[in-house]
Amino acid sequence: MSLRFSAAFFRHAVAAQIACVVGAMLFAALYPPARGKMILIPIWPGAERGMLALAIDEHALLIGQGPLSNSFVVFGERSAIAAGMLRRGVLVLAAPPAACGERGRLA
């Protein structure tokens, strides 16, 4: 009985460790840069209203539309943009080149 428990526990522990590593890699890949290209993704209904105006007020430069509905890619300072966006229901992520239409170039 204890051998079966140990095997089941080991399988769950390995799965949890793999999930943590994958989560950490996603977090590192999508965490917005201190200064650079970021994608603004509204997550609440109506969050896109005023999103660009707020970003521009915080000295962000509009680069273009993002890959998702109502999302936009901007260039700016994370510290200036992120806090106001999160309060309005807008997620701020790093703009990876593959997701933002830039093939073969680094963001």
Side-chain angles (χ1 to χ4, degrees), residues 18-107:
I18 291 171
C20 286
V21 168
V22 169
M25 290 172 64
L26 283 173
F27 179 78
L30 297 176
Y31 191 74
R35 178 179 167 83
K37 291 182 183 179
M38 293 168 259
I39 185 168
L40 308 178
I41 304 171
I43 54 176
W44 296 337
E48 69 277 359
R49 282 182 255 138
M51 176 176 69
L52 289 178
L54 177 62
I56 291 169
D57 286 346
E58 297 298 342
H59 307 290
L61 301 173
L62 177 62
I63 294 176
Q65 283 190 307
L68 303 173
S69 176
N70 296 322
S71 68
F72 290 92
V73 179
V74 298
F75 184 93
E77 302 277 340
R78 178 186 64 225
S79 60
I81 297 170
M85 291 295 173
L86 289 175
R87 283 193 296 271
R88 291 178 171 253
V90 177
L91 191 60
V92 179
L93 300 174
C100 296
E102 293 183 24
R103 295 170 198 223
R105 286 188 354 175
L106 295 176

